[in-house]
Amino acid sequence: MDQYLTGAVIRSLREARHLTQSQLAERLNVSDKTVSKWETGRGWPDITLLEPIAKEFGISVAELLSGSASKNRNVAANMLRTQLYVCPVCGNILLGAGEAVISCHGLRLFPQEAEESGGAHSARLSVVEDEYYLQFDHPMTREHCITFAAALSTDGVQLVRLYPEWAAACRLKISGTEKIYYYCNRDGLFSLSPAALKEARRRG
């Protein structure tokens, strides 16, 4: 099992702050030998030290654990960074707005990676009053269908569930929407480009 916090991360964060091992050790109330062990992979910080270490480097605990040496950008604040997870057993849809370990039915789920809309998974987008009307030329059977569509803005997520033998279409509020995704139960996640959204608004 990988260490939950690598020595390389601690070393890079320390060096970015122009601290010696001794200076960091003093601030954390540990010995410089302890810091050396962390950085050379011969040991790792006790869980009670995670918050003090993160605070010392000006990042979140989540960023520290993920191995990010970047400054804290409040990664959960912008909903456009939301990642979509789908359980292959039950079709459950889960959202993660930051670093997360997500599971369903005993399976670890990984974020879906979106392909751009096209081919057999093309979508047509139009504007009806204050909503996008999203249509698909796609089968809607139990074996093969679009199961949901999602619209992301900086402060929220709209999620619309579609069901077999329903119309292959849905409506999503335009206000604030910057990304649209939809999911095929066989072929995965697809996205509409920002240019497609702009063009639909222009025509509408």
Side-chain angles (χ1 to χ4, degrees):
M1 183 175 178
D2 292 339
Q3 292 178 193
Y4 64 78
L5 183 58
T6 68
V9 171
I10 295 175
R11 184 174 62 253
S12 64
L13 289 167
R14 176 179 63 78
E15 290 175 348
R17 293 289 297 273
H18 305 291
L19 295 173
T20 65
Q21 289 183 345
S22 295
Q23 288 170 326
L24 178 60
E26 184 177 352
R27 294 184 185 203
L28 297 174
N29 200 26
V30 298
S31 71
D32 53 353
K33 288 183 179 179
T34 297
V35 173
S36 177
K37 285 182 180 179
W38 296 345
E39 294 188 359
T40 56
R42 293 179 289 120
W44 55 91
D46 184 80
I47 194 167
T48 60
L49 286 170
L50 294 182
E51 193 168 337
I53 293 171
K55 187 176 179 180
E56 179 62 40
F57 294 129
I59 62 174
S60 68
V61 172
E63 286 176 301
L64 187 65
L65 292 175
S66 71
S68 170
S70 62
K71 293 291 183 182
N72 184 359
R73 298 180 303 278
N74 195 8
V75 294
N78 189 338
M79 297 301 288
L80 289 173
R81 297 191 183 99
T82 296
Q83 295 180 310
L84 302 169
Y85 302 76
V86 181
C87 177
V89 177
C90 68
N92 198 7
I93 306 158
L94 302 104
L95 309 177
E99 294 290 334
V101 176
I102 293 178
S103 63
C104 188
H105 281 81
L107 299 174
R108 178 166 180 195
L109 306 182
F110 294 91
Q112 293 286 320
E113 293 187 16
E115 295 180 42
E116 191 166 337
S117 173
H121 293 90
S122 294
R124 298 190 305 279
L125 192 66
S126 57
V127 171
V128 179
E129 297 179 348
D130 64 341
E131 295 179 316
Y132 286 123
Y133 185 52
L134 187 60
Q135 297 173 282
F136 313 97
D137 293 322
H138 194 283
M140 289 298 284
T141 65
R142 290 187 182 279
E143 294 76 26
H144 192 194
C145 64
I146 300 295
T147 60
F148 71 86
L152 276 59
S153 62
T154 56
D155 60 357
V157 177
Q158 302 172 64
L159 190 63
V160 178
R161 191 76 193 236
L162 285 81
Y163 294 92
E165 288 145 28
W166 283 23
C170 66
R171 292 177 181 241
L172 298 160
K173 291 289 184 186
I174 291 174
S175 180
T177 294
E178 294 187 36
K179 293 181 180 179
I180 290 180
Y181 296 102
Y182 52 95
Y183 184 82
C184 168
N185 67 339
R186 283 190 182 177
D187 300 300
L189 193 67
F190 293 85
S191 67
L192 286 172
S193 69
L197 274 62
K198 289 179 183 177
E199 178 62 19
R201 288 196 296 266
R202 187 188 67 77
R203 291 197 312 266

